[in-house]
Amino acid sequence: MDPQTIAVINAGSSSLKFSLFEVTSSGPVRRIRGQISEINTAPVFSARIGSQTAAREQILGEAHAGHQRCLHYLLEWLGQHAQVHAAGHRVVHGGLAFSQPIVVDSAAIKALEGLIPLAPLHQPYNLEPIRALSRLYPGLMQVACFDTAFHATKRKEARRFPLPRALADAGIRRYGFHGLSYEYIAMKLKEVDPVLAQGRTVVAHLGNGASMCAIHGGKAVDSTMGLTAADGLPMGTRSGALDPGVLLFMARELNMSLETIEDVLYRQSGLKGISGLTHDMRLLEQSQHPGARDAIDVFVYRIQQQFGALCAVMGGIDGAVFTAGIGENSSLVRRQTLRGLGWLGFELDDTANAQHATRITTANSNIPAYVIPTDEDLMIAHHVQNILAV
Ligand code: ADP
């Protein structure tokens, strides 16, 4: 009998990432990984099959632009390569109702659509492939995995904004995101450092979207993100946490519309806004422009500040993990961050850090810091395989 296969789809506003996994007795094994980028303008399809080192690229062009058309292309392509037994989807918001992966039916789709106002820039795109697949393959099992779910273990005081109760009842709460990444790191940490996996860890997920999470014994204690993925650390183009008075000032004194404020908060701020150059950390590191230095300095400052906050809510810290594009690849950001955190017990090993080794602190360091590449798709595949096994 052919092995069972799981397709994992991670649909964003401008890209469609996917992986195909084979179910094995030791967990899902990735067979294909790929993406369609620039889906709104000039889509480019790329995929790496098996052990291929270079991805095969195909320019789809304007004729394929748009979510629906790209999805159809992807589903046909996947259908030519495997018979898919189940699909797993990354869904950014599970709201109050969904704190675990679920098998999707029409009632669930409706409930998830109801959460669009809580994540208007992510949720609609996440739901698109679920709807398309249920139309095309009504019998296919589809599992939705939520970025908010891992944070469901937070204490109730960590989940409340100090706002009137009626607003909390309306769903305005501190949920937290990047949960699939944190869950994967917590799982992987059991192999990398089983002692730390039982202890108190600050995980810094630093990509275009960036957040940090305090994890104790594999469970989330708190994180830097709240109601939306705009909170906490400065990001590629998002501001992160602001004085709420800033929003009022922009609206009242600067006469900025809601749409303009949203554009500023989500697309013009963060590394791009501070530097006045780019959101891309690689380019900032290479630039001699003073704005580039400022952007990196503010980013690192905020990360250090949040280390303090997240240590405090765990009553201490036993180690740290860096992950995602910047966390995995920027030795500069890691070095600058940990050099300011010697007081917590980190002693950086410069050589290990420059080589992106798994452990980047010295043997004498009081507590360890690790670089662990994240894999949200693999986490989703684990959830789907668990559900298939029931
Ligand atoms: P997303 O949140 O979109 O998944 P990623 O996790 O891919 O983002 O991270 C993208 C960020 O990682 C960008 O700022 C990029 O410049 C940065 N990055 C990737 N590779 C490197 C590198 N070698 N050195 C420094 N930064 C890097």
Side-chain angles (χ1 to χ4, degrees), residues 17 205-209 279-282 285 324-326 329-330:
K17 295 183 181 150
H205 174 112
L206 310 175
N208 283 320
H279 69 280
D280 191 325
M281 183 56 82
R282 263 171 304 206
E285 286 188 1
I326 298 172
N329 297 297
S330 173

